Amino acid sequence: VSNVKAHICNDSLEQVIEVEDTVTARLEFASGITGVFYATNGSFMNSTPIFEVVFEQGTALYQNRTLWVNGQAVAVDDAPEVGKAYWGSGHARLLKRYYDEQHYFTVKDAENTMETMFAMYDSAQHGGRKTMV
């Protein structure tokens, strides 16, 4: 991510929690590709995550544990669910790697994600676009 423009607010849960409940961001990558990120915990229902990537000649969509490419289902996540369905099964795999395989994660593993999140906060707080280093 090379540039971020974000809006962060607490609109839905204003009287319930003291932190933000919704973020929208426009992400510009060094390659020139633009991405849009939206997340909220202010929904009244437990919706599953939706990931969509639009390419020049096709679309990939992950929704309801199914990967769709150009409208065709190509894979189903049949791993057992741990916790709520919308959490997915990724946490269980990470914990297994940590305990069973002694695969330890460092701050460096999350550096790009954290820098992008901090840029979102900075953009939302000060307005305008935040250029990443």
Side-chain angles (χ1 to χ4, degrees):
V1 176
S2 59
N3 287 292
V4 173
K5 182 169 173 81
H7 302 278
I8 298 174
C9 61
N10 182 341
D11 286 339
S12 299
L13 300 172
E14 189 172 12
Q15 302 302 317
V16 180
I17 61 176
E18 297 176 0
V19 296
E20 63 278 346
D21 61 34
T22 303
V23 60
T24 59
R26 182 175 199 268
L27 309 171
E28 296 175 6
F29 293 85
S31 65
I33 293 173
T34 300
V36 176
F37 177 84
Y38 172 81
T40 185
N41 64 355
S43 178
F44 68 92
M45 56 192 274
N46 293 330
S47 301
T48 60
I50 299 170
F51 299 95
E52 183 176 34
V53 181
V54 179
F55 301 96
E56 289 180 9
Q57 298 181 13
T59 301
L61 172 72
Y62 179 80
Q63 183 177 21
N64 297 324
R65 301 172 57 109
T66 303
L67 176 62
W68 302 82
V69 176
N70 295 330
Q72 299 287 340
V74 297
V76 176
D77 183 4
D78 58 0
E81 292 179 9
V82 175
K84 297 179 180 180
Y86 56 88
W87 289 354
S89 56
H91 289 97
R93 286 193 296 266
L94 288 174
L95 289 171
K96 179 175 177 34
R97 288 181 69 193
Y98 180 83
Y99 287 109
D100 296 349
E101 302 169 21
Q102 297 176 342
H103 181 88
Y104 304 111
F105 300 95
T106 67
V107 172
K108 189 76 173 158
D109 295 320
E111 184 177 19
N112 290 341
T113 301
M114 296 304 296
E115 286 178 358
T116 302
M117 288 176 47
F118 294 144
M120 287 180 186
Y121 277 110
D122 191 45
S123 171
Q125 184 177 12
H126 299 105
R129 178 167 284 119
K130 172 67 177 168
T131 301
M132 308 279 290
V133 178

